[in-house]
Amino acid sequence: MIIKKKGKKKEVEIKLEKLYLLNKKDPKKVNDNLLKIVADQDLLLSAYGKIQANSGSMTVGVDKDDTVDGFNRELVERISKAILEENYTWKDIKQVEIPKPGKKKKRPLGLPTFSDKLVQESIRTVLMTIYEPVFQEYEFNHGFRPKRSTHTAIHSIITKSQGMEYALEGDIVGAYNSLKHGKLMKFLEMKISDKKLLKLIESGLKHNIHFKDKITLNTLGVPQGAIISPLLFNIYMHEFDLEIERIAKELEIRNEKENRKRVIHRMVSTVTMRIHRRGKILERIKNKPDFDKKAFYKILKQIQEDKKLQLTLPSKNLSRRPLRIHYTRYADDWILTTNLREQEVITLKEHITEWLKENLKLDLDQEKTYITNLKKNKAKFLGFTLFRHKKNISRLKHQVTGRIYRRRSNDRLFVGIDHERVKNRMTDVQIINDKYSPRHVGLFCSLKPWDIVTKFNQKTIGFINYYYAKLTYPSDLGYYYYALRYSCLKTLSHRMRISISQIQKIYGNRIVMTKIEREKDPKTGLIKERKGTVFFPEYLEIMDRIGDRIASEGIQGTKPIPDISFANVIEGLDPLPLDALETINIKVNVRTGSKIDKICCICGIISTPNNPIEMHHIKHIRKGKIIGFSLIMKSLGRKRIPCCKQCHLRIHKGEYDGLSLSDLHSPEAAL
């Protein structure tokens, strides 16, 4: 479904919509003439609008001069021309190592230059428009896709893995770093016939990597951190998704051959029919003129005994159940649940290992690929655990007598928290110590008290928001709420050098703090005060808030919760998911890219070839020591403003220190 937005559509929007509809109508369509769409200036402007909103937009690559700061129309025109003339040159990638959350190992992270990010985002938009209709035909892939998240992946497992006995947890050795470029290009050629675009993508894969004063040529894999890498990985792994789909269809054929249709337990059917027949006998006894009271109550007692027996019988014949598998993948993490026998699961694992090695040239880590009996152990996936109780006994109340009966039915799949993973991650960020007791966070002790409370507020709501909707027993979150709360109190105690009890006496149990900000009005010159309140959220309040949202959004599968990646939960980040059709309906953000064609907000000059309008960027307006022109940016509440090249240079030279907001030519232009 295409979401129509108000306003006149740009030419690139119309092209993308048409491209999307054609591929949706025919998923096997081979597309051509795509390079012109990638090089479209409006698409590149839209790419800038998406990149600059990212928290990592200010990171510097190999070329320190090629950054988001200073973005202008000239740069867009230059990149567009270079792409069309087939002489765009990808720059080298700077590689850094970042620690894996909850682990001692580090993972490599690639940092491209800003120009390469623009081109990657433009290519990603076109590729997503082509491949999303293909991915929509299958429900396996939930990673880095519109309207898909970790929550939709877990929901898919819960709804379609009931009655499963085994789980196969897969782990690919160096997934992103092991992709074969030749294989990837062959997969792309199946949907794209534009050789110019394929050449551009292939040249971007083979780049030099700068790491610790060493330069190496990348001949394998896609860099983690690149904008286009997740999509390329999904395209590469789509063949594996199709192979699992083929295995599932083979099981369906096997079910038909073996006549696996009698799922109702025979004893249940027998007892049910016996109750039905004896009920008819009771009706005949009632209608007879000579009512036999003794025979009536005898048969009634037999019916009551049969009903009691019925409640204790399993509802399904497990020996004749249909064989099933359910496969779910989120990026390089995947899990397969099945009701096959253990030996058949082992055979399936061996088949997957051989298939991945032969067809995708990927190796399955045998030490980290587990076959889990869900009745005995817990399978782990995306920070959750999946398990079944050994005995699933439900308690039923008789409608007449009020007696409580117990009935054993098929085991249900339960979802819990991966406690080991969460505790390790909390230990790394100093929320708890090695003995899992709350402690103060050293990095926060330099902040103001209300900033400390704000940080922990974000962490708590983000963490509970991630888990609450999918847990079978949400009460498992109680310990982590306690840990976050007392870590906040201990951090405040360490910062203010008073005891926890004194903090609770001053600010109450909710730790309510009032923040007062003073700012100068640019028109009147008067100093105004603005008050704000921060507090640590109550546990029940969070539950009610999330519960209301689930009820309003219909969370049970129809409208997924906004994705909060597990990697960012502890850090308190709350990234918004991609809009389902961001890739189709391109609208340049009027507060970002559209400003490069207007006047300078400082001197009021119109853009000229010799003095073009550029975008001035700063990293933050609330953290650390803010001096110079950044104070004006803080007053504007903006991290970027349009200004001419000359004014931009003067800003970086520090010639605007002490300039007040009222001295600006047109501060409204930056809003």
Side-chain angles (χ1 to χ4, degrees), residues 354-407:
E354 293 176 2
W355 191 94
L356 283 171
K357 193 169 185 177
E358 291 178 5
N359 295 273
L360 299 182
K361 308 300 179 183
L362 297 175
D363 295 324
L364 205 63
D365 193 339
Q366 300 299 322
E367 295 182 356
K368 296 181 180 179
T369 302
Y370 306 105
I371 297 175
T372 306
N373 188 332
L374 296 175
K375 286 186 177 180
K376 297 180 180 179
N377 297 302
K378 297 179 180 181
K380 299 178 180 180
F381 189 63
L382 302 176
F384 293 86
T385 56
L386 308 170
F387 60 96
R388 292 169 60 185
H389 286 310
K390 295 181 181 180
K391 294 181 180 180
N392 187 15
I393 301 175
S394 57
R395 295 178 178 270
L396 302 174
K397 188 176 182 180
H398 198 280
Q399 295 180 355
V400 180
T401 63
R403 291 180 61 186
I404 304 296
Y405 293 95
R406 293 189 304 171
R407 178 174 181 175

Side-chain angles (χ1 to χ4, degrees), residues 22-31 130 133-134 137-138 189-192 242:
L22 289 172
N23 284 274
K24 189 174 182 65
K25 186 178 180 180
D26 182 16
K28 295 183 180 181
K29 177 180 171 56
V30 181
N31 303 270
I130 295 171
V134 179
E137 288 194 352
Y138 309 95
E189 289 172 3
M190 296 169 64
K191 289 286 293 177
I192 300 171
L242 295 178

Side-chain angles (χ1 to χ4, degrees), residues 48 68-71 592 596 614-617 640-642 648:
Y48 164 74
V68 68
D69 187 37
F71 174 78
T592 53
I596 65 175
E614 301 179 343
M615 299 298 295
H616 172 62
H617 291 251
R640 62 198 62 86
I641 60 170
H648 196 191

Side-chain angles (χ1 to χ4, degrees), residues 207-350:
H207 52 264
N208 290 326
I209 299 175
H210 292 240
F211 180 63
K212 293 182 179 179
D213 299 329
K214 294 182 180 180
I215 302 175
T216 56
L217 179 64
N218 180 52
T219 58
L220 190 67
V222 291
Q224 295 190 47
I227 295 172
I228 200 173
S229 294
L231 178 56
L232 293 178
F233 184 81
N234 280 336
I235 295 170
Y236 196 89
M237 290 295 293
H238 184 64
E239 297 299 316
F240 178 63
D241 300 342
L242 295 178
E243 174 63 15
I244 302 297
E245 174 71 6
R246 186 191 64 78
I247 295 172
K249 288 182 179 179
E250 286 184 355
L251 283 181
E252 292 179 2
I253 297 171
R254 178 181 169 184
N255 290 330
E256 292 178 1
K257 289 182 178 180
E258 297 180 2
N259 193 25
R260 292 182 171 270
K261 295 180 179 180
R262 296 176 294 172
V263 294
I264 304 298
H265 200 280
R266 287 186 177 182
M267 193 63 183
V268 174
S269 302
T270 303
V271 175
T272 303
M273 291 300 297
R274 194 163 62 200
I275 293 171
H276 182 68
R277 289 196 303 268
R278 286 171 175 173
K280 288 185 176 181
I281 295 172
L282 282 183
E283 291 293 329
R284 289 199 297 268
I285 293 174
K286 281 183 181 180
N287 296 330
K288 285 184 178 180
D290 51 340
F291 178 72
D292 190 351
K293 190 175 180 181
K294 189 176 180 181
F296 177 84
Y297 282 105
K298 183 180 179 181
I299 296 173
L300 181 63
K301 187 177 179 181
Q302 290 175 348
I303 291 175
Q304 290 175 348
E305 290 176 354
D306 286 339
K307 286 185 177 181
K308 188 177 179 180
L309 176 63
Q310 191 182 35
L311 293 171
T312 61
L313 295 172
S315 60
K316 294 184 179 181
N317 185 4
L318 301 181
S319 63
R320 300 300 302 169
R321 62 190 173 178
L323 301 175
R324 299 183 295 124
I325 62 171
H326 178 67
Y327 164 71
T328 305
R329 181 172 65 84
Y330 188 92
D332 58 334
D333 295 324
W334 60 271
I335 188 170
L336 191 148
T337 55
T338 180
N339 60 351
L340 295 170
R341 302 302 178 190
E342 185 177 5
Q343 188 58 43
E344 291 180 300
V345 180
I346 295 172
T347 306
L348 179 62
K349 177 187 175 183
E350 292 174 354

